[in-house]
Amino acid sequence: MNTPIESKGKVARAKRALPPTRSAYAEFVPITTRWTDNDIYGHVNNAISYFYFDTAVNQLLINHGVLDIHNGAVIGLVVETRCAYHAPMAFPNPITAGVRVEHIGNSSVRYGVGLFEGDSDSAAAHGEFTHVYVDRETRRPETLAKDLYDVLSKLYRGEPA
């Protein structure tokens, strides 16, 4: 009897999605790599990609005037994130983060983020980053403010294929 990962004596391999291209994203945020981003193998450590996601999403919201990280009554808490890697990135090469909105809920937003090294059209890494917007003091979910919702709607590109 074959196991779930075997088929006719061969091990089944998961189909790896192709990296998204820049056209899949609504807006872009430049990311400056740092010497400390590189790991012992000479490329950006995988955990650093999550810092880039966080930086890109929050910088974009700040740029649009819908996030005040110091005094805003509502803040976004990260509740879920994931990343798929396609190619290495390394300091001192510049990175551009493409950002799109994939889902808008009552108090939550799932962003899609692609990391592009230099002028490459294919993402070196891409993933999802979910915020739940909460009251700064109580940490209870808050309905998305109209100005935030309006910005998110402009960044909306729908569920990934």
Side-chain angles (χ1 to χ4, degrees):
M1 173 179 229
N2 290 337
T3 65
I5 63 167
E6 293 179 337
S7 175
K8 297 184 181 183
K10 295 183 181 177
V11 175
R13 298 193 189 273
K15 291 187 179 184
R16 184 156 170 85
L18 294 174
T21 61
R22 289 179 186 261
S23 64
Y25 297 92
E27 289 197 31
F28 296 87
V29 176
I31 303 288
T32 302
T33 57
R34 305 164 303 169
W35 173 254
T36 57
D37 293 348
N38 284 1
D39 62 18
I40 196 166
Y41 302 112
H43 58 73
V44 170
N45 185 277
N46 60 318
I48 300 300
S49 297
Y50 293 98
F51 288 126
Y52 295 163
F53 287 1
D54 200 13
T55 297
V57 166
N58 286 299
Q59 185 64 61
L60 189 67
L61 297 175
I62 290 167
N63 291 350
H64 280 281
V66 293
L67 176 64
D68 179 347
I69 60 172
H70 299 292
N71 300 309
V74 176
I75 59 173
L77 298 181
V78 177
V79 297
E80 185 174 22
T81 186
R82 68 167 197 83
C83 186
Y85 302 94
H86 303 284
M89 299 175 282
F91 170 84
N93 301 334
I95 293 172
T96 303
V99 179
R100 66 181 177 226
V101 169
E102 297 177 347
H103 177 80
I104 304 173
N106 184 51
S107 62
S108 66
V109 180
R110 185 177 66 241
Y111 300 93
V113 183
L115 302 176
F116 299 88
E117 188 175 54
D119 59 1
S120 176
D121 191 50
S122 293
H126 80 282
E128 296 172 353
F129 187 84
T130 303
H131 270 153
V132 170
Y133 288 89
V134 301
D135 178 274
R136 180 184 292 274
E137 300 301 320
T138 67
R139 296 298 204 254
R140 300 297 307 153
E142 290 282 329
T143 300
L144 298 174
K146 182 181 180 338
D147 60 342
L148 175 58
Y149 184 87
D150 290 346
V151 168
L152 297 172
S153 295
K154 291 176 186 171
L155 300 173
Y156 182 77
R157 295 296 180 267
E159 303 289 327

